[in-house]
Amino acid sequence: AAGVALGGLDMWLTELFGWSPFGTMSHGKPDHECLLPLEKVKPIRYEKPDGVLTFDKLSSVFLSNTNHEEDQPVHLQVRDMGLQKASEHDVYGGPSQRYCPAGVYEWVEGEGGVRFQINAQNCVHCKTCDIKDPNQNITWTTPEGGGGP
Ligand code: SF4
């Protein structure tokens, strides 16, 4: 109850006077500058989803009821595909495959080497890719229609 009261006080003082007695925590630098290159991190092994308490990404995307018209313009733009391969994949190990909650981004092995695949129809519009990409190379734009989660 004390937490709710303090939260309410903080919210109303900020709303009315633009000032909070508790101050604002600062992050120091933008989120995308906090990513470490692959060589400086150890992989985290996650248990496979059990379908009871934990679920795979695409089942959850289905439950979000997100829907896009087939023929609408692509709302996720990668400015420079060469940079995406040279940096996002080669240096950072493809973090988009992990931070995107909807499995939109995949690095797929093919005959001509690895390829960046964008499953834009799965997007749940959280905008993480726009913020988190280490090179700010991905731009999320508002999709057409009101089919979001
Ligand atoms: S906006 Fe969110 S759900 Fe959509 S592609 Fe970016 S990270 Fe994935």
Side-chain angles (χ1 to χ4, degrees), residues 75-76 99-102 104-105 123-130 140:
H75 72 283
L76 300 162
Y99 65 61
C100 173
V104 168
Y105 301 108
C123 179
V124 294
H125 312 302
C126 67
K127 216 181 165 190
T128 305
C129 50
D130 197 294
W140 172 91

Side-chain angles (χ1 to χ4, degrees), residues 54-146:
T54 54
F55 301 90
D56 65 279
K57 282 186 189 176
L58 292 185
S59 310
S60 303
V61 169
F62 174 71
L63 290 176
S64 78
N65 209 18
T66 311
N67 182 36
H68 303 102
E69 296 295 334
E70 290 287 332
D71 56 352
Q72 70 167 262
V74 177
H75 72 283
L76 300 162
Q77 305 286 349
V78 179
R79 185 168 33 93
D80 180 343
M81 274 294 182
L83 177 66
Q84 201 65 8
K85 162 75 173 66
S87 179
E88 208 262 351
H89 178 271
D90 294 355
V91 177
Y92 291 95
S96 56
Q97 300 181 111
R98 295 174 191 83
Y99 65 61
C100 173
V104 168
Y105 301 108
E106 289 180 275
W107 284 102
V108 183
E109 290 287 348
E111 281 180 10
V114 75
R115 180 173 58 82
F116 197 45
Q117 179 166 306
I118 305 174
N119 307 305
Q121 72 279 11
N122 286 357
C123 179
V124 294
H125 312 302
C126 67
K127 216 181 165 190
T128 305
C129 50
D130 197 294
I131 295 163
K132 191 75 180 171
D133 181 74
N135 306 293
Q136 298 293 277
N137 197 24
I138 302 178
T139 304
W140 172 91
T141 53
T142 320
E144 288 181 350

